[in-house]
Structure formats: structure tokens, C-alpha cells
Amino acid sequence: DREDETDELQTYGDLVSWAQKANIIGAGAARKLRATAVRETRSAARALATARRLRRAIYEIFAALAEESAPDRADVKVVRRFWIEALRESDLAPKGDRFDFEFADRGESLNEPLFHIAHAAIGLLRSDEAGRVHACNADDCTWLFVDRSKNASRRWCQMDVCGNRAKAKRHYRRARSTS
């Protein structure tokens, strides 16, 4: 929310917790990454700064696409550079009747959670859904989402949060104007 500009990634441990909740890394890798971060505080700080830089670049690229404008080349280079690093750390493995990149879940590199993120961002950019990325219409939200609705008419990142809040504000304004 724009009202709360607090970064939820305050520590490297916050990044690991988020990655675990998002099923990007498993519990074993999370334990190893946390232990490494405690031993290697400078490396963990660099990995956290990298995560923030990657997050910002991904956001800026998709925000530009949502506004139907060209993304900044510098942001594209950040994502591309990290994706290439991620590919170096991956294996090409069979997935059903096709192959895909597989990333180790060993907890050996402090940047390990970011490999998955960069790969997913590139996957979305290369997909037909890249044009379905939209910004939430709520005044106090900066989230982006992929509109997978049948008629491409979704307006909010989450109906039960931003949608309800926007509808409540509209109702309040109407009720005040009639009284």
C-alpha cells in the first residue's frame, strides 16, 4: 500500500521466509540459507540488496507494460543478467513431455531464491500473458497482477482487499453526498 511504504524485506531472513512461504525454497534450504546468512553477514547484505534491485527492476518492467509503454532498458538488463546467472545454476530436466530448467533447492547460494524469481519473470515476459499485466485500480495500492478473467476486466489485485475497500469508499462518498 502507498500509505505504508515500509519494505517487508528488512533482513535476509525476511527474504528466506517469503521464499519459503511462496514455495520457492524448501524448509531444508531455508535453514541452510539462514545459517549461512548468520555466518556471512556481508554476503547476506549483498544478496538482500540484489533481491531488492531485482524486485524493483521486475516491478518497473511490468508497470511499464501495464501502462503500455516501453520498459527501461536498464531494468531489462538487470533481470536478464540475473536470469543468465540463474541459468548457470540450473539443470535442463524433463518435465512430462517437454524439458524445463530446474533449480537446485540446496541452500548453497544466498542468491538461490532469486534464481526462481528471475526465471519466473522472464517466463511471464516471454508469455502471451505479459500483455495481461495490469496495475491495481485502488488509489492506495501499487500492486500489479495478471488479469486471467475471461473478459479481461479485472480491476483490483485482490477483490477481497482492494476491491472491497474501493467499493466501501464509493459507498461512503455517496452516503455523505446525499446527507
Side-chain angles (χ1 to χ4, degrees):
D1 289 345
R2 289 184 185 142
E3 295 168 355
D4 181 14
E5 293 290 332
T6 312
D7 191 339
E8 297 295 325
L9 297 181
Q10 293 293 316
T11 67
Y12 182 80
D14 295 338
L15 174 64
V16 172
S17 294
W18 175 84
Q20 192 175 2
K21 284 180 189 174
N23 292 319
I24 291 173
I25 60 171
R31 272 192 303 280
K32 288 180 184 177
L33 291 171
R34 284 188 184 98
T36 302
V38 168
R39 285 190 317 273
E40 301 175 22
T41 55
R42 284 193 177 134
S43 295
R46 280 193 302 275
L48 179 61
T50 299
R52 288 176 176 158
R53 190 168 51 251
L54 179 63
R55 177 185 62 185
R56 173 55 50 193
I58 290 169
Y59 178 85
E60 294 298 335
I61 289 168
F62 284 106
L65 292 177
E67 294 171 3
E68 298 180 2
S69 62
D72 187 289
R73 293 187 61 73
D75 292 325
V76 174
K77 284 182 179 182
V78 167
V79 175
R80 180 182 176 274
R81 188 173 59 241
F82 207 83
W83 181 60
I84 289 169
E85 183 181 337
L87 291 179
R88 284 190 194 111
E89 299 292 326
S90 71
D91 290 319
L92 191 58
K95 300 281 184 186
D97 61 346
R98 62 185 183 93
F99 280 73
D100 200 358
F101 294 101
E102 189 173 85
F103 300 95
D105 187 23
R106 296 185 295 258
E108 293 175 359
S109 167
L110 291 171
N111 284 334
E112 190 174 297
L114 306 183
F115 299 155
H116 301 273
I117 296 165
H119 185 66
I122 292 291
L124 181 55
L125 283 170
R126 295 182 67 225
S127 77
D128 294 336
E129 290 189 324
R132 297 183 75 119
V133 173
H134 300 294
C136 182
N137 277 1
D139 294 337
D140 54 353
C141 182
T142 59
W143 282 27
L144 303 171
F145 61 90
V146 178
D147 183 359
R148 292 188 175 108
S149 65
K150 287 182 184 180
N151 60 359
S153 61
R154 186 170 156 194
R155 298 176 58 196
W156 298 288
C157 61
Q158 296 179 3
M159 180 60 195
D160 60 338
V161 178
C162 289
N164 285 346
R165 195 168 43 205
K167 288 180 177 187
K169 283 180 183 177
R170 250 192 347 255
H171 174 76
Y172 177 76
R173 280 189 221 122
R174 276 195 306 259
R176 278 193 79 191
S177 67
T178 59
S179 58

